Amino acid sequence: MDGLNDKVGGGTRYAFDAALPGMRHAKLLRSPHPHARILGIDASHALALPGVVCVVTGEDAARLPDPHHGFSVRDQPLIAIGKVRYVGDPVAAVVAMDERTALAALELIAVDYEVLEPVPTLDAALAPGAPVLFDEPHPGAPLGVGAGSWSRNEPAPNVLYEYGYARGEIDTDLAGAAHVFTDSFAISRISHYYLEPYSGVARIEDGRIELWTCNQDPFMIRADISRMFGLPVNDICLHSPMIGGGFGGKSYCKLEPLIVLMAMKARAPVRLALTLDESLLTLTKHAGVLTLTTGVDAEGRLIARRSELKLDGGAYADASAMVALKAAYRVTGPYRWKSVFSRASIIRTTTIPAGSYRGFGGTQASYASECQIDMIARRIGLDPYEMRRRNLLDVGEPFAPGDSGMDSDLRRGLDEVCRRLGYHERSQHPGHRNGRGMGLAIGIKDGGGTGNHAQATVTVSHTGAVTVSAATTEIGQGAGSTLCRIATRTLGLPLANARYAPIDTDRTPLNNGTHVSCGTTVTGTAVQRAAEDARAQILEFAAEQLQCPAADLTLEESGQGWAVRRGADLHPLAPLIMSWFGGVGYVFIGRGGIKVPYDERSPVRARNLFWMPSWAGAEVEIDRETGRLRVLQLIVGGDAGHAIDMASCVGQIAGAALQAYGLSLFEELRYRDGAQPENADPRAYRVPMASDLPDRFDCFVEEHGMGPGPFGAKGLGESGMLAVTAALANAIEDATGARVTTTPFTGERILAALDGLDTVVPMDQRSAAE
Amino acid sequence: MTGDGRGFTLNGKPASLRAPDNAVLVDVLREDHGLHGCRIGCDQAVCGACTVLVDGTPMAACSTFAFEVEGRSVLTIEGVANASDGAPDPIQRAFLEERGFQCGYCTAGMILTTRALLERDPDPTEATIRAWLGAGVCRCTGYSAIISAVHTAARLLRQGSV
């Protein structure tokens, strides 16, 4: 069975399955307190238990050159040093001969805590005199930004990061607008809930570290381990097997340095496989409150928007800074503005760290923006569809001065949603505005990364066997298959000839990680260029053998294997190559790369590579007695530019859309009494099942042909999440006249909205209120 | 420990059941029999990744004691393909054809659940399929492609495809 078949045959191996001879097993002791000082750890009884190899604590970590990690703010120790900052913070790690013994040993570790006041919410963290999570500032450079933007690490107590962007005369423009509206939206904390629990295995041999991990950023982790342990990068090798789902939850540094430290202390290979419960305690999506003040003219043209985003970053930085930057920059949506002021702050709280989740703040920004656009349309008596049409960016129009132009036809996608939904005929339904209604939304985010780069090789053997090597990890998106398609299409060889090489950082060309929907466009371009390089070498070789110009030759697959064609003549390549090289044959090695340049004139320091719009439409029915929401239709579309593999593209949209659907309807990781997680386990935390699907769930992918990637492609893996929540909220208002502004849209919240109550509850009081 | 005389049928072949009384089936399948296609996800009978068929009925191997399958027949994903040539069975072919998976972690459970469903109802309605697949979580696909795969599998099986 080939790689694809192995998923249906059970043969695929994940990091969770990784095993090495002599391997020991680790388990973590986690903090029961949201905030506490560690006064002492007594592991003597655990160490006395037969089968226990060693115990690793903050004392071991503190001896490293740099025990902290975090993207742009390095504040997270690989295991708690002196203090714990959320329920679930790892305090001690036991390595034993088997997991059972490790688990038993955890019970024998005594930790002496001085319990501190928790800081569970945004309001608690920002209150005057609030307890602080950290006393000292941390190393790390603020994210680089360009024209009109600012970027600050740790600007105030309990504030991890602030990003802002301003252009135009916002106060003047708001003062001069025909209508000005201010609305706030709250979004809940949700969990990635990937199915393969977070896992890794490390071994140290001849002073070299080898690590098999489910993380999607092998080169980033290699750099983190290099810095933290003071080792050169060529003493560290990361292996990335198939990843059992991630959605951002397996990006950036997580447990890898701890696994390495355990393997060093145990002097044996060590496996750490979390349970899914523990995985839920590792990272969440950012909850937050987004307040938008928007001015429009008498015809419903958008003039100016001031946005204040407060996002709950949890206890440690992870990738929060990037989430803030992207959320604030995109919160103006795919529209034309005269002036803009956007600011996002990441607030530290004593909760699970928040980080990237399928779009770096894109969901939060699009949700708030698209709800408010709809609300304004209804307030000024415009159809929300018409309001959007009047303000959407045209093709080629820059998202912001200094940034790249829109490379999708935004109206075309919106019209396709309307057509599939039956939007323009909705008023003919007798239930319309009487419990039944439709809503639209258009999400937008930048894609491909900021100033991103990637390298790749494409090797072609004398038999025409193609090996594509790049560091885009296989996480379910079908990266290997898509990159093989790009390579073989460029070479002119059948897809069946190509294999995607296993990823390890000793051999695989570098990229910045499997992020920001960059696999097809950025790494794909590197693969395409590598394939072009290989093709040129092959044709040059053949031209020399055939004594003709290379330009006269083309590659093709023939009945006699791969061959070069010169006019009517076909020359099989295998014999040509073997007669020259002999031995065991030859391999042509094509190299390719791409670097998106930095540009200080662009607000986020690089012109965005491509734009990822998401069009959504929903039809809902609300039970006025119970507030129960039934989703009759959910239509979600994206633009692939050019679909390298249409089935994969549609699958990405559908998967992302259903995650946003869960967030909209019932997903929420809650805290009880502001301190203890209430449902951070896979049984209590509800994710959508097949039985929860909308009555009609229709996803589509357009090909607007304007992508910068191979054959006009652009990424879309994150986009399906962006517009769903706003489309549902907008449909609820269309059906009932009531607006819900806090996710998830539970029956209680809808009933409250129906009763005319304002449902924007400060984050602070939410758990108490429910 | 259960005695040497105890056994069960695993993927059509007799197998011994040497496991402590508190051992769960998923650990026995993975560790004693090397059947890693039986995945551990939630480890509490919610996600369905460890689903196996016990006498044709889907069960969560993470929450089934090994002794419960004594004398019974267990089918894991490794036993679904043709035993002699490894050719995928019609349900596996349908999942391949419809791309009924992304990361693949839930796939074994989904395929085995589909098998049990189609044995009971060869021509299930959309609502029946959604209800049956509701026994497991797929966080990647949004279920659409999996539902299409069940429809396709049903058609292949009704056509007597082997």
Side-chain angles (χ1 to χ4, degrees):
Chain A
M1 283 193 174
D2 66 21
L4 202 64
N5 277 345
D6 266 350
K7 285 183 191 162
V8 302
T12 302
R13 289 293 173 265
Y14 302 81
F16 189 87
D17 301 309
L20 294 171
M23 181 173 82
R24 314 297 190 229
H25 299 264
K27 280 285 158 194
L28 304 183
L29 183 69
R30 292 171 179 275
S31 169
H33 304 296
H35 198 193
R37 219 175 295 284
I38 300 170
L39 301 178
I41 300 175
D42 179 1
S44 57
H45 293 96
L47 287 165
L49 187 72
V52 170
V53 177
C54 65
V55 174
V56 169
T57 67
E59 264 185 46
D60 303 285
R63 285 196 279 271
L64 293 177
D66 179 359
H68 293 89
H69 59 84
F71 191 68
S72 101
V73 181
R74 295 201 300 273
D75 64 1
Q76 186 165 8
L78 59 84
I79 191 160
I81 300 177
K83 207 175 170 189
V84 288
R85 297 180 178 86
Y86 73 98
V87 173
D89 210 351
V91 175
V94 173
V95 180
M97 299 307 286
D98 54 54
E99 275 194 338
R100 196 166 306 203
T101 307
L103 275 171
L106 294 183
E107 315 254 326
L108 303 175
I109 297 176
V111 183
D112 188 11
Y113 291 105
E114 177 198 345
V115 174
L116 302 172
E117 195 184 329
V119 187
T121 63
L122 300 181
D123 289 346
L126 295 175
V132 291
L133 274 76
F134 294 91
D135 297 319
E136 304 286 333
H138 295 90
L143 292 171
V145 293
S149 292
W150 65 93
S151 173
R152 292 183 197 130
N153 283 0
E154 306 184 301
N158 288 337
V159 180
L160 174 88
Y161 176 75
E162 178 184 299
Y163 168 81
Y165 170 63
R167 70 169 194 264
E169 301 297 323
I170 184 82
D171 293 328
T172 311
D173 291 340
L174 282 175
H179 311 276
V180 177
F181 302 98
T182 297
D183 299 286
S184 280
F185 304 91
I187 193 158
S188 42
R189 184 194 322 271
I190 68 164
S191 173
H192 302 77
Y193 206 106
Y194 42 75
L195 282 192
E196 179 205 10
Y198 207 97
S199 312
V201 176
R203 88 165 153 209
I204 292 132
E205 212 169 273
D206 299 331
R208 291 195 86 234
I209 295 168
E210 262 190 297
L211 188 63
W212 286 257
T213 167
C214 66
N215 193 287
Q216 63 204 65
D217 300 328
F219 283 96
M220 198 184 294
I221 307 307
R222 187 179 71 163
D224 276 314
I225 292 172
S226 166
R227 177 179 45 75
M228 296 170 79
F229 289 82
L231 293 169
V233 291
N234 58 357
D235 270 343
I236 304 155
C237 179
L238 272 282
H239 299 266
S240 297
M242 183 71 216
I243 302 169
F247 323 114
K250 289 172 176 170
S251 66
Y252 297 91
C253 191
K254 295 282 178 293
L255 296 160
E256 289 76 14
L258 175 58
I259 304 173
V260 169
L261 185 59
M262 290 192 291
M264 284 179 170
K265 192 166 184 184
R267 296 179 179 279
V270 170
R271 170 181 188 253
L272 174 65
L274 301 187
T275 61
L276 202 51
D277 300 57
E278 292 178 284
S279 300
L280 299 197
L281 293 172
T282 301
L283 197 74
T284 70
K285 189 178 181 81
H286 288 77
V289 177
L290 299 87
T291 301
L292 314 184
T293 299
T294 300
V296 297
D297 73 10
E299 283 77 47
R301 281 188 197 87
L302 298 168
I303 305 290
R305 174 174 275 179
R306 179 193 295 281
S307 308
E308 292 280 356
L309 283 54
K310 292 207 179 335
L311 300 173
D312 188 338
Y316 297 106
D318 202 274
S320 271
M322 187 64 93
V323 171
L325 182 150
K326 299 282 186 174
Y329 185 55
R330 299 159 177 162
V331 75
T332 49
Y335 303 110
R336 198 174 296 124
W337 301 90
K338 213 170 145 198
S339 57
V340 166
F341 179 99
S342 306
R343 177 162 52 195
S345 307
I346 300 288
I347 314 302
R348 285 180 161 129
T349 62
T350 50
T351 62
I352 302 166
S356 70
Y357 187 133
R358 211 164 194 161
F360 290 98
T363 318
Q364 293 91 331
S366 287
Y367 154 62
S369 175
E370 281 301 288
C371 283
Q372 200 198 26
I373 294 290
D374 220 81
M375 291 159 79
I376 292 172
R378 291 171 201 272
R379 286 165 181 157
I380 64 174
L382 262 184
D383 187 292
Y385 166 82
E386 184 52 36
M387 171 97 186
R388 290 188 171 84
R389 272 192 74 87
R390 275 184 202 179
N391 290 287
L392 283 172
L393 293 169
D394 292 323
V395 168
E397 197 174 350
F399 177 80
D403 208 334
S404 57
M406 187 48 56
D407 54 3
S408 285
D409 183 341
L410 297 169
R411 292 177 182 83
R412 181 175 145 191
L414 183 63
D415 284 336
E416 182 60 18
V417 165
C418 289
R419 189 185 68 74
R420 289 175 185 244
L421 191 62
Y423 180 81
H424 296 300
E425 298 77 43
R426 72 192 191 288
S427 59
Q428 292 161 20
H429 193 280
H432 182 236
R433 296 195 195 285
N434 189 21
R436 190 168 167 138
M438 290 186 182
L440 303 173
I442 310 180
I444 191 83
K445 73 176 286 289
D446 50 286
T450 305
N452 207 352
H453 64 278
Q455 294 164 264
T457 60
V458 171
T459 61
V460 187
S461 80
H462 66 278
T463 57
V466 178
T467 304
V468 177
S469 188
T472 296
T473 52
E474 292 265 28
I475 195 161
Q477 83 284 46
S481 156
T482 296
L483 295 176
C484 284
R485 281 169 198 263
I486 290 169
T488 50
R489 206 165 138 183
T490 305
L491 287 163
L493 292 172
L495 178 60
N497 285 26
R499 300 288 181 274
Y500 193 52
I503 295 169
D504 84 53
T505 55
D506 278 350
R507 297 175 192 76
T508 307
L510 177 148
N511 76 14
N512 287 312
T514 305
H515 278 175
V516 290
S517 305
C518 74
T520 301
T521 312
V522 179
T523 305
T525 297
V527 166
Q528 185 181 33
R529 291 176 181 170
E532 285 164 356
D533 182 27
R535 185 183 59 195
Q537 292 177 38
I538 294 159
L539 294 180
E540 273 165 36
F541 167 82
E544 215 170 288
Q545 298 297 309
L546 300 171
Q547 296 291 304
C548 71
D552 290 358
L553 302 176
T554 53
L555 268 182
E556 69 175 63
E557 183 69 15
S558 75
Q560 300 140 287
W562 73 319
V564 283
R565 175 173 293 282
R566 184 185 181 197
D569 298 333
L570 207 57
H571 303 274
L573 271 163
L576 211 57
I577 295 166
M578 287 312 289
S579 68
W580 175 256
F581 285 102
V584 293
Y586 187 71
V587 61
F588 298 91
I589 304 173
R591 293 183 175 82
I594 175 178
K595 165 62 192 168
V596 180
Y598 289 122
D599 183 349
E600 307 292 337
R601 293 163 300 179
S602 173
V604 295
R605 206 187 154 219
R607 285 163 59 87
N608 176 40
L609 190 56
F610 59 91
W611 295 99
M612 301 169 68
S614 174
W615 302 279
E619 183 177 21
V620 304
E621 194 172 64
I622 310 290
D623 183 326
R624 279 191 177 266
E625 291 295 310
T626 62
R628 187 175 173 275
L629 165 68
R630 179 173 167 200
V631 182
L632 304 172
Q633 296 192 74
L634 181 63
I635 318 287
V636 186
D639 173 23
H642 164 83
I644 306 280
D645 178 2
M646 184 54 92
S648 288
C649 292
V650 176
Q652 285 298 302
I653 297 289
L658 205 68
Q659 289 175 354
Y661 178 78
L663 157 70
S664 312
L665 263 58
F666 43 72
E667 274 192 49
E668 179 175 30
L669 203 148
R670 293 182 301 272
Y671 272 79
R672 185 171 46 228
D673 306 325
Q676 292 287 332
E678 182 179 292
N679 60 339
D681 70 82
R683 183 183 291 269
Y685 184 90
R686 182 175 170 203
V687 294
M689 313 279 250
S691 39
D692 294 313
L693 282 171
D695 293 3
R696 174 170 176 239
F697 181 36
D698 178 15
C699 294
F700 68 93
V701 169
E702 303 234 309
E703 297 180 274
H704 293 188
M706 292 177 266
F711 318 113
K714 56 183 186 175
L716 50 55
E718 298 158 312
S719 72
M721 237 180 133
L722 299 173
V724 169
T725 307
L728 286 164
N730 297 341
I732 292 168
E733 180 165 357
D734 190 55
T736 64
R739 168 62 54 170
V740 281
T741 53
T742 298
T743 67
F745 309 138
T746 58
E748 292 88 334
R749 288 204 175 106
I750 293 172
L751 263 188
L754 287 172
D755 291 345
L757 298 175
D758 184 357
T759 59
V760 181
V761 180
M763 293 296 282
D764 208 356
Q765 291 153 31
R766 285 172 60 194
S767 44
E770 281 155 25
Chain B
M1 301 284 282
T2 45
D4 283 359
R6 302 193 177 187
F8 69 124
T9 303
L10 180 56
N11 294 333
K13 292 180 186 158
S16 64
L17 192 60
R18 292 184 192 136
D21 287 339
N22 62 357
V24 289
L25 182 58
V26 69
D27 289 340
V28 170
L29 293 174
R30 289 174 62 90
E31 287 161 25
D32 298 351
H33 298 278
L35 299 172
H36 285 228
C38 184
R39 311 284 177 199
I40 297 175
C42 71
D43 213 11
Q44 44 194 286
V46 175
C47 78
C50 67
T51 301
V52 297
L53 299 186
V54 179
D55 291 337
T57 297
M59 296 193 49
C62 74
S63 303
T64 301
F65 283 116
F67 67 74
E68 293 181 73
V69 303
E70 188 192 333
R72 302 171 75 181
S73 176
V74 173
L75 183 73
T76 73
I77 192 67
E78 289 87 350
V80 170
N82 185 296
S84 54
D85 63 5
D89 91 332
I91 299 173
Q92 290 172 311
R93 274 177 21 222
F95 271 72
L96 288 168
E97 201 174 298
E98 301 290 346
R99 306 278 191 94
F101 50 82
Q102 284 181 25
C103 86
Y105 213 78
C106 74
T107 309
M110 292 290 176
I111 287 175
L112 290 164
T113 301
T114 301
R115 184 179 173 113
L117 163 61
L118 297 181
E119 271 170 13
R120 286 156 180 78
D121 183 350
D123 191 10
T125 63
E126 175 85 11
T128 303
I129 294 171
R130 287 185 180 199
W132 272 69
L133 295 183
V137 172
C138 171
R139 191 61 158 165
C140 293
T141 63
Y143 301 104
S144 303
I146 299 177
I147 292 167
S148 300
V150 178
H151 283 298
T152 298
R155 181 171 47 79
L156 290 176
L157 285 165
R158 287 198 308 274
Q159 287 167 355
S161 169
V162 192

